[in-house]
Amino acid sequence: EKIICDFISSSDKEFKYIIAPHNIDKSHIKEIEKLLGETSTNFIKYSEATQENISQHTILIIDNIGILADVYQYTDIAFIGGGFKNSLHNVLEPASYGNVIMFGKNHSKFHEAEDLINENAAYEISYTDDLIAAVNHLLIDDRLITAKNAAKNYITKGIGATDKIIEKLN
């Protein structure tokens, strides 16, 4: 969250951001708001968002459970949690929507993460500078589109994998 908030505060890019923290306790949401800057009015919580006020904000903070998988359809890049201290969260959900995926360094036990890196559809991020470099790289020519297509293609190639495994087992 700190890397993302640092990126947002230092970026001159006109992006829209969605922050979906794992912990949605009010105190933790307040911590995120502090990271974004207490005087910033650029963010709104999902619980307070309406069709009328959402367009006035650049940052949407998801403060409820159960909608993350649906949110990926509105994004191009997803920074997945869990790869810094704990195990990596699901990378296949955002990939299925064609998101370029970014995550922390603790992903070696997750072959999908490794595969997506090899397909140029994912990036390992350790510091804010890594995130800045990856985003800047993706903004050159059609690299973002190419990476998004690589993520979708990875998912498409895996369709039917369960049937193949069951067939081998039989």
Side-chain angles (χ1 to χ4, degrees), residues 1-168:
E1 292 162 355
K2 180 165 179 10
I3 290 173
I4 299 231
C5 291
D6 286 349
F7 175 83
I8 292 170
S9 65
S10 68
S11 179
D12 60 351
K13 311 283 189 276
E14 292 190 24
F15 294 141
K16 296 278 188 172
Y17 301 92
I18 301 172
I19 299 175
H22 185 70
N23 178 355
I24 60 165
D25 292 342
K26 287 183 181 184
S27 61
H28 187 70
I29 298 294
K30 282 282 183 209
E31 289 175 30
I32 293 170
E33 291 173 355
K34 283 183 182 178
L35 287 171
L36 291 168
E38 290 181 341
T39 59
S40 175
T41 58
N42 222 7
F43 58 83
I44 189 167
K45 292 181 276 196
Y46 181 81
S47 61
E48 298 171 352
T50 65
Q51 285 187 329
E52 292 77 33
N53 68 11
I54 191 74
S55 64
Q56 302 165 18
H57 302 278
T58 305
I59 306 161
L60 176 64
I61 301 172
I62 305 295
D63 60 346
N64 71 348
I65 293 177
I67 65 167
L68 180 58
D70 294 326
V71 170
Y72 291 127
Q73 67 186 306
Y74 303 110
T75 59
D76 294 312
I77 300 171
F79 197 140
I80 304 301
F84 289 93
K85 295 179 183 174
N86 304 318
S87 64
L88 187 64
H89 294 184
N90 188 327
V91 297
L92 296 178
E93 284 178 350
S96 69
Y97 285 103
N99 277 236
V100 179
I101 303 157
M102 302 192 183
F103 40 74
K105 63 183 177 176
N106 295 331
H107 58 79
S108 61
K109 294 180 182 177
F110 301 88
H111 75 87
E112 296 95 348
E114 297 289 324
D115 291 346
L116 287 163
I117 288 173
N118 292 333
E119 296 286 334
N120 297 314
Y123 295 82
E124 179 183 305
I125 305 295
S126 295
Y127 304 99
T128 304
D129 288 345
D130 298 337
L131 181 56
I132 292 168
V135 170
N136 286 338
H137 171 80
L138 289 167
L139 294 177
I140 298 171
D141 300 324
D142 291 332
R143 290 179 183 172
L144 178 61
I145 294 167
T146 301
K148 287 171 60 67
N149 287 335
K152 286 181 193 174
N153 291 338
Y154 178 76
I155 295 298
T156 302
K157 286 190 290 188
I159 291 175
T162 302
D163 293 335
K164 292 174 188 174
I165 292 169
I166 289 172
E167 186 178 308
K168 288 274 188 192

